[in-house]
Amino acid sequence: VLKEPNSDISRVLLYIIVNGSVSYHPFIKLQGFRTRVSELKCKYNLLLDPVKVTSLNQRGKTNTYVQHSLPESERQKAIDIYNKLVK
């Protein structure tokens, strides 16, 4: 059982661990979402596979964003990082 997140980066990481991937949609109000993802990749050396997704919004306009997927081989590493973050 994982502890409650105590920072923005731990919230993003917990979401990735639980759901296997993340985009900005669940964190639309979080300023610095892309910075948190970049931190996980660069500072913590967590492998996240970027997949470009294109969809239509409510007005029929094209919306393109990146879905960051966590490979199964990185899941335990992500959990270890998370546990260090929420000590």
Side-chain angles (χ1 to χ4, degrees):
V1 177
L2 298 171
K3 294 181 182 178
E4 289 292 315
N6 59 8
S7 64
D8 289 341
I9 193 167
S10 62
R11 278 186 202 86
V12 171
L13 184 53
L14 180 61
Y15 190 92
I16 293 169
I17 292 167
V18 171
N19 296 289
S21 66
V22 70
S23 70
Y24 76 93
H25 287 289
F27 296 98
I28 199 124
K29 293 185 180 185
L30 173 64
Q31 291 184 0
F33 167 76
R34 287 183 290 182
T35 302
R36 302 294 79 81
V37 171
S38 181
E39 264 185 281
L40 290 169
K41 291 166 74 173
C42 297
K43 183 176 179 181
Y44 296 99
N45 201 29
L46 185 64
L47 177 63
L48 296 172
D49 295 328
V51 177
K52 194 176 276 191
V53 178
T54 302
S55 64
L56 294 177
N57 68 14
Q58 294 173 338
R59 296 183 180 90
K61 301 236 179 190
T62 301
N63 180 25
T64 302
Y65 59 93
V66 176
Q67 183 83 20
H68 303 277
S69 298
L70 179 68
E72 188 59 37
S73 61
E74 291 282 296
R75 190 167 192 279
Q76 187 57 51
K77 182 178 182 180
I79 291 169
D80 294 343
I81 294 167
Y82 181 80
N83 286 329
K84 287 178 186 173
L85 289 171
V86 296
K87 273 189 181 179

